[in-house]
Every structure is written in C-alpha cells, then in structure tokens.
Amino acid sequence: MDSIEVPPVLLSVTRMFLSGDRLVAYQERNDTLFSFWKLPDCKFLYAAGVRGEGPNEFLMLDRNFQEKPNGFSSFEIQANRIKEVEALDDGTFRITSCRSVNTDLQPLNRLLMLADSSFCFVSDNEEYEFTLLKKDGITHDFGNYPLRLLQEEADTPHRFTYNKLTVAHPDGSRFAVFYAYVGLVRIYGADGTLQAESVLPEKKTVSGEERTVYYRSFPYATSRSVYVLTQEADMTLLEQWSWKGELEKRYVLPVAVSSFVVSESNNRMYAVSPEREDRIYTYRLD
C-alpha cells in the first residue's frame, strides 16, 4: 500500500467511480457534489456539480453511476430521471441529457442501468426481489428471496430483511448481488435469469452488532471482476469475485477504507479512509 497526500477536500465520500483516466468522488453531503482526480498520480483537477432543481443541478442521486470515458450517467431518485454528464480535464462540466425513466413506479431503489436501455431495481413485491423495467415501459418481477436464511418478522418487508448491495457489469449484460446480513452472492443476467449463486461460510458477528454483517459497502465492478469490502474481526478485507460467482481472491488491507475503485489499466485499487481526509490510498493488486 502507498498513500498520496491530497488537498483536504475528500469529506464524507459517498461513492467513488472512474471516468476514463479520472477518479471521481461523489460527496452527497457537500455543496459541490463531485471532485475529479487525474490518475495514476491522483492529481486534483476540479470540483463541480451542485445540488438543486435547475437544469444543470442535481437532486438526491442513487449511488450507482454508469461510467463513461468522458463522463457518467446518474439517477435522480426523487424525480425518476437519468442525467448524463460530460466532464473533461479542462474543467468542462455540463449535463448533456436529462430523461425520465419510463414508469410511474417510485421510488426506484438500487437502480441499475442494464443493456438494451433496460433498468433493474429492488421490487416492492413480497414474492420477488427485483423488477426489470424494459424501455417500452413493461415491467417483470423476478428473483426468489432466500427465505428462512434469516429471522423474518411479519411486519418487516423482505426487502429490508434481505437487504443487499448491487452492481452492474460495465456493459450492462449482468449484475451482482451481495447480501448484507447473510452469506450469499448471486449473479443475474440482464433478462432476470439467475446465472450463479454462492453461499459463504457462516461467520460470527463483528463490531459488537446484534446481526452478522457480511457486506456494508457498495461493490465495484470491472469487465473482469467484482470487488467488495468485508470485515472479519479487526481486519478489513477486499474480496475479488468473478462474473461466474466464484470467490477468486481476498486481500487483507492494512488501513480500513470506506470507498474504492479498481483500475484494470494499471492494476491498482484507489481508496479513501474515514480516518484521513487528506489521503488517497493505493494498492497494487496481484
């Protein structure tokens, strides 16, 4: 691990992702929502994007961003809108497209942008986990809950009992599901077909919490692998999963991190820690 000293502007980083050769930090609590950093040396470029209801402003955003070479796509939860952003190295930052998602359903939780202009989100149907929304507005519920793996209460919806974190493949052909409180990982195709499922060994409760926590931080996906943080005792670990649902590697991290990205082009992970606001930590992956 190495660390790079940066201007102390990385306050409360909600999510990190890549845009070409730039690292982007989304900070939903800040007045300016995005900061941009040039890779591989993590040189600060600029901050841009403000909260508001104007055409070039943002309402509350979902934490899943679709990466693009010169920008990204984001989803406004309150308005059911997709906003596409162009962000260049010279400081140019503008919203190039704003379109409504073709549905009256709201809110759309854990929205994923999939292939063929379709979307996936957590269903409010107690029988199914997800809803697939096609570009023509037709919806299809799919995915059986892993019932009886956790204590279920009659007045608690399954979507809360079986809370999960999701991330889509960069080309939208599939997505991965990591369950927060049960050792289960699933891979679904963009059509809703379950492609793979892995059950993890049971582990003890960590951090003095009543429930065992397997995954609490949003995963990050590349074309080859899916990466996700987990905790064991006092160790923070990075897990690397294949898109076949196989656990390939586990890295023990010397510093607890809260958000990260993986750059396949230089085989490094870039991460931030809640303990230091003036550092970006870099890890060379094997």
Side-chain angles (χ1 to χ4, degrees):
M1 182 197 73
D2 295 317
S3 68
I4 299 173
E5 185 174 358
V6 298
V9 295
L10 288 170
L11 305 174
S12 303
V13 175
T14 308
R15 192 84 165 100
M16 297 174 74
F17 56 96
L18 298 180
S19 174
D21 61 353
R22 287 157 297 166
L23 182 153
V24 186
Y26 169 54
Q27 299 158 270
E28 65 180 357
R29 297 181 184 178
N30 285 14
D31 293 333
T32 304
L33 298 175
F34 301 97
S35 59
F36 295 81
W37 310 77
K38 187 75 170 180
L39 296 180
D41 55 354
C42 296
K43 179 183 177 182
F44 177 68
L45 295 174
Y46 59 92
V50 296
R51 190 183 313 281
E53 299 184 14
N56 291 308
E57 299 172 337
F58 298 89
L59 297 174
M60 179 179 291
L61 299 176
D62 199 353
R63 297 184 182 186
N64 282 314
F65 296 88
Q66 186 179 52
E67 300 177 351
K68 297 186 177 181
N70 293 320
F72 56 89
S73 294
S74 60
F75 175 64
E76 289 184 325
I77 299 174
Q78 299 146 283
N80 271 15
R81 292 187 301 206
I82 301 289
K83 284 188 174 180
E84 296 186 3
V85 175
E86 182 182 49
L88 303 178
D89 288 344
D90 61 2
T92 302
F93 182 93
R94 62 191 181 98
I95 296 173
T96 58
S97 172
C98 179
R99 67 185 190 278
S100 298
V101 177
N102 188 18
T103 181
D104 293 329
L105 298 174
Q106 198 172 7
L108 307 184
N109 294 316
R110 300 282 193 264
L111 183 92
L112 297 174
M113 305 175 199
L114 301 178
D116 195 29
S117 299
S118 61
F119 302 96
C120 175
F121 47 90
V122 174
S123 176
D124 59 3
N125 185 335
E126 280 291 276
E127 296 184 17
Y128 298 97
E129 286 198 284
F130 299 103
T131 297
L132 180 66
L133 171 64
K134 298 185 178 181
K135 59 183 177 182
D136 57 7
I138 296 177
T139 60
H140 167 65
D141 292 324
F142 68 94
N144 295 322
Y145 277 98
L147 298 179
R148 293 177 294 280
L149 289 183
L150 291 172
Q151 182 176 350
E152 300 168 15
E153 300 182 12
D155 57 347
T156 302
H158 287 150
R159 62 183 179 276
F160 296 132
T161 302
Y162 294 94
N163 188 25
K164 49 199 162 285
L165 302 166
T166 58
V167 66
H169 190 282
D171 66 8
S173 61
R174 68 204 94 165
F175 66 94
V177 184
F178 295 86
Y179 290 79
Y181 306 119
V182 63
L184 185 64
V185 177
R186 286 175 169 175
I187 306 293
Y188 282 96
D191 61 353
T193 302
L194 180 62
Q195 297 182 345
E197 180 179 79
S198 295
V199 180
L200 300 173
E202 186 176 353
K203 68 177 183 178
K204 297 180 181 180
T205 302
V206 297
S207 304
E209 299 185 23
E210 295 181 0
R211 290 190 292 184
T212 300
V213 178
Y214 282 82
Y215 301 107
R216 70 172 76 242
S217 301
F218 272 75
Y220 184 80
T222 70
S223 59
R224 292 197 298 260
S225 304
V226 187
Y227 298 85
V228 64
L229 296 173
T230 187
Q231 191 81 16
E232 282 196 6
D234 58 349
M235 297 185 301
T236 300
L237 299 104
L238 176 74
E239 292 184 350
Q240 178 179 333
W241 289 78
S242 74
W243 281 106
K244 295 181 180 180
E246 300 167 343
L247 179 57
E248 297 178 322
K249 297 176 184 178
R250 304 181 89 209
Y251 299 90
V252 178
L253 305 182
V255 172
V257 301
S258 56
S259 188
F260 71 97
V261 296
V262 173
S263 172
E264 287 187 337
S265 61
N266 58 18
N267 225 35
R268 282 186 177 272
M269 181 179 83
Y270 298 88
V272 293
S273 170
E275 300 173 0
R276 294 293 301 266
E277 298 168 345
D278 62 344
R279 291 283 189 277
I280 293 178
Y281 295 94
T282 67
Y283 301 82
R284 182 174 295 280
L285 302 180
D286 182 10

